[in-house]
Amino acid sequence: MTDPAAKDFVILGGGTAGWMAACLLANQWRGRGATVTLIESKEIGIIGVGEGSTPQLKAFFDRLGIAEREWMPACDATYKNGISFHGWSNRPGYESYFHPFPAPIDNHTAAKFFYNTRARRTGRDVDAHPDRFFLPALLAATEKAPIAPEHFPFEPTYGYHFDAHKVGAFLADHATENLGVRHIEGRVENVERADNGDIAALITEDRSRIAGNFFLDCSGFRAILFNGALDEPFLPFSDNLFNDSAVVMPTTRADQTRLPSQTKATALSAGWVWDIPLTTRSGNGYVYSSSHIDAEAAECELRQHLGVGDTGEARHLKMRVGRVRNSWSHNALAIGLSQGFLEPLEATALHIVIATVEQFIGSFEAGDFTPEHRDSFNADIAARYEGIRDYIVCHYKVNRREDAAGIDYWAANRANQNLSDDLKSVLTSWYTGGDLTAEISRLGIGKYYSAISWHSLLAGYGTFPDDAKITPPGDDIVIHDVSEIQRFLDRCALNFDDHAQALSVFD
Ligand SMILES: Cc1cc2nc3c(=O)[nH]c(=O)nc-3n(C[C@H](O)[C@H](O)[C@H](O)COP(=O)(O)OP(=O)(O)OC[C@H]3O[C@@H](n4cnc5c(N)ncnc54)[C@H](O)[C@@H]3O)c2cc1C
């Protein structure tokens, strides 16, 4: 009897999403007779941005059995402790904060952080800035790598920065050389449908017919299968998230003697700019709302921010922000930018790619390679998008930045009432002095962003009563000695190497 896994998978698109999907599917099922074919058009090319990750990328490489020493140097990759936000709040003492990836060592300090933020929310003068409570903030501030030595029993959780083109090429080599993925170059012009509406084959410009049992749409913002053939509705998030454009410009790192271990997200007049440190350069991009600033002014502001004058070439991109209604439709799965995109503030796109493919693998196997679990899969993926979206929206909703003259961007974000019920509940709990950790657990949203992330965001912008309403803590408040926590973190950090030095082991 044929193994039900012995399916022919066809992937349309050879960007990061396509090659990640190819690796995961071939790794899982090639031993059971599955074939994976990937077709891409070099002429169309890839988007070539997306250079920061969450810890999901580490799990991805671990799953494929690829060591850091194999892929990191090949992709100019660096370690990422998290993201620091600058200029999103004008409240003194809260001009910047760091968003850490949650890790087991947080158990030593998180409860104190939650306690202090709640006390400050109710007007007590206690230190509640997230940077004082978590090890990754200190590792990032001191440019250390999140790699624990053998004698230190707590592994930080971390992501990476990398060159998007090089990661795609690395995965393409791995998929074709080690996992038996067939690679075809060509431009798909037509899609052949079966009587039941399934996709039967992709037809290229030279009339080649690529048939399969299951198809993955990894064709980027073009969404050739989902937008075109399957006509799956796209649900925009433009009411919640205003940014729809980006201008991108790599630069040489200003100070070659230093290698940051964090992404920097700095607010500008109609959006924010990322600074992603690679071993060879910095990746920079201004993500903005075209309703508030035009492309020329955005490029000018980015150049000014980077201090590069007229030198270097900038690339302009439009972003389609939202998601397809169903990521799995008929015998096809949308992955990557064809599936949806939340703006890159929390660098979640590749995270969603990996999570979607892994969940698909689980659902397809559980249903004996039939669409039995398609509806629940689609509901889960939709909830994931919305859970992540809410966290990103919250950054804008609680911002405390002044608008530049003539640009009503930050105030408009603060005034935006298009908030989901879950986000309203989070904010109500925060503003009324409620137990936010319990509320996040009640809402079931902690799997998208943890209680530490939510508390860090809200506390990090100084979302507390005005200074005039803050009073000294009374006897009912337990005083957590923040200098004691600082000493604990300082001693932990002594175990970690300087970032550049940690990467030199790959030389
Ligand atoms: C401004 C910006 C910043 C971002 N930052 C981050 C970040 O920090 N972290 C993160 O995780 N993600 C980020 N992303 C998202 C990230 O770039 C993408 O998720 C990732 O690159 C995957 O893209 P993709 O493979 O879906 O699409 P693409 O890279 O666009 O690939 C599409 C593929 O489809 C092929 N194709 C299209 N049409 C046809 C056709 N008719 N025939 C044959 N082939 C075809 C193309 O040739 C290409 O190979 C960012 C995105 C943007 C826009």
Side-chain angles (χ1 to χ4, degrees):
M1 203 178 96
T2 316
D3 188 327
K7 300 252 177 288
D8 295 325
F9 292 90
V10 177
I11 298 174
L12 169 56
T16 322
W19 286 114
M20 279 183 156
C23 287
L24 289 171
L25 294 184
N27 186 57
Q28 185 75 14
W29 290 322
R30 78 185 190 288
R32 294 176 61 181
T35 69
V36 178
T37 301
L38 183 146
I39 176 160
E40 64 167 325
S41 158
K42 292 272 190 220
E43 187 199 338
I44 293 174
I46 66 168
I47 192 158
V49 284
E51 305 200 317
S53 87
T54 68
Q56 191 89 16
L57 190 62
K58 174 161 169 41
F60 168 81
F61 279 112
D62 287 351
R63 184 165 177 149
L64 295 179
I66 299 173
E68 288 179 345
R69 68 167 53 252
E70 283 179 66
W71 79 269
M72 285 185 71
C75 301
D76 305 341
T78 63
Y79 291 112
K80 172 177 172 184
N81 283 298
I83 306 173
S84 60
F85 293 83
H86 301 258
W88 293 66
S89 169
N90 63 2
R91 185 159 193 176
Y94 297 91
E95 295 86 355
S96 74
Y97 87 95
F98 183 81
H99 178 199
F101 295 123
I105 197 167
D106 301 339
N107 292 333
H108 291 264
T109 51
K112 292 172 184 159
F113 174 54
F114 296 157
Y115 184 90
N116 276 21
T117 54
R118 196 170 179 190
R120 193 156 189 105
R121 282 189 274 142
T122 53
R124 312 307 177 87
D125 189 8
V126 293
D127 195 335
H129 194 294
D131 291 7
R132 317 255 200 280
F133 292 84
F134 298 108
L135 180 61
L138 185 55
L139 297 181
T142 50
E143 296 179 348
K144 291 194 167 197
I147 305 300
E150 198 57 29
H151 61 260
F152 187 75
F154 298 99
E155 286 280 352
T157 307
Y158 60 86
Y160 305 99
H161 308 112
F162 46 85
D163 181 305
H165 284 275
K166 290 185 178 176
V167 163
F170 181 93
L171 293 176
D173 286 349
H174 182 71
T176 51
E177 288 166 18
N178 304 328
L179 298 174
V181 173
R182 186 171 152 236
H183 183 198
I184 300 175
E185 206 180 312
R187 189 182 182 113
V188 170
E189 294 222 313
N190 275 308
V191 177
E192 186 183 306
R193 308 289 294 276
D195 291 344
N196 65 358
D198 278 4
I199 295 176
L202 306 183
I203 313 295
T204 64
E205 58 193 338
D206 65 1
R207 305 243 178 283
S208 299
R209 181 175 183 276
I210 300 148
N213 305 114
F214 202 94
F215 292 80
L216 281 82
D217 186 347
C218 299
S219 62
F221 283 136
R222 291 164 192 258
I224 303 282
L225 305 184
F226 272 66
N227 224 9
L230 296 172
D231 202 16
E232 185 64 39
F234 185 80
L235 312 177
F237 290 157
S238 42
D239 285 348
N240 317 91
L241 292 168
F242 298 168
N243 296 344
D244 59 359
S245 306
V247 49
V248 180
M249 221 185 148
T251 52
T252 48
R253 274 208 328 278
D255 183 350
Q256 295 285 341
T257 60
R258 298 176 43 212
L259 184 57
S261 52
Q262 61 182 315
T263 301
K264 226 170 136 179
T266 306
L268 294 184
S269 65
W272 61 278
V273 62
W274 75 74
D275 175 356
I276 289 186
L278 307 189
T279 53
T280 46
R281 63 169 166 84
S282 286
N284 315 284
Y286 182 7
V287 178
Y288 63 92
S289 157
S290 63
S291 308
H292 294 85
I293 191 172
D294 66 28
E296 197 183 330
E299 179 176 332
C300 189
E301 194 180 355
L302 175 65
R303 285 180 180 280
Q304 211 168 9
H305 173 77
L306 297 173
V308 294
D310 290 339
T311 56
E313 204 152 310
R315 194 153 68 94
H316 289 264
L317 299 168
K318 290 305 280 182
M319 307 186 307
R320 192 180 70 134
V321 176
R323 67 170 173 87
V324 284
R325 184 186 55 185
N326 292 309
S327 293
W328 179 353
S329 171
H330 293 274
N331 61 337
L333 185 67
I335 296 288
L337 297 173
S338 64
Q339 177 190 17
F341 185 52
L342 295 158
E343 66 140 277
L345 186 59
E346 289 285 345
T348 46
L350 295 178
H351 177 111
I352 298 177
V353 166
I354 299 164
T356 303
V357 179
E358 289 189 338
Q359 192 163 339
F360 168 73
I361 287 172
S363 299
F364 208 36
E365 275 192 0
D368 206 19
F369 297 87
T370 70
E372 188 186 335
H373 297 300
R374 189 168 52 195
D375 291 348
S376 59
F377 167 91
N378 281 330
D380 277 359
I381 298 295
R384 181 183 290 276
Y385 267 101
E386 271 142 46
I388 296 174
R389 180 203 59 199
D390 286 352
Y391 187 73
I392 296 176
V393 169
C394 191
H395 280 280
Y396 292 97
K397 180 68 188 167
V398 303
N399 88 78
R400 300 170 72 107
R401 187 180 168 85
E402 298 282 318
D403 270 312
I407 302 180
D408 174 30
Y409 175 82
W410 294 100
N413 271 293
R414 275 193 298 277
N416 186 13
Q417 296 304 323
N418 291 309
L419 308 177
S420 73
D421 289 344
D422 283 354
L423 181 51
K424 284 182 193 158
S425 299
V426 165
L427 292 174
T428 302
S429 172
W430 179 268
Y431 286 117
T432 57
D435 180 343
L436 183 60
T437 306
E439 184 62 5
I440 287 164
S441 168
R442 185 187 76 76
L443 294 167
I445 56 173
K447 54 187 181 256
Y448 312 123
Y449 280 97
S450 70
I452 289 179
S453 292
W454 281 104
H455 280 84
S456 293
L457 191 171
L458 290 158
Y461 288 168
T463 317
F464 295 118
D466 291 342
D467 288 349
K469 294 192 185 133
I470 299 279
T471 55
D475 292 344
D476 57 328
I477 292 292
V478 179
I479 307 280
H480 292 300
D481 185 353
V482 175
S483 61
E484 195 56 44
I485 294 171
Q486 194 60 53
R487 257 196 309 280
F488 168 73
L489 297 178
D490 283 342
R491 291 173 64 193
C492 290
L494 290 175
N495 293 283
F496 291 81
D497 279 341
D498 169 74
H499 190 198
Q501 193 183 330
L503 289 174
S504 69
V505 301
F506 300 141
D507 290 344

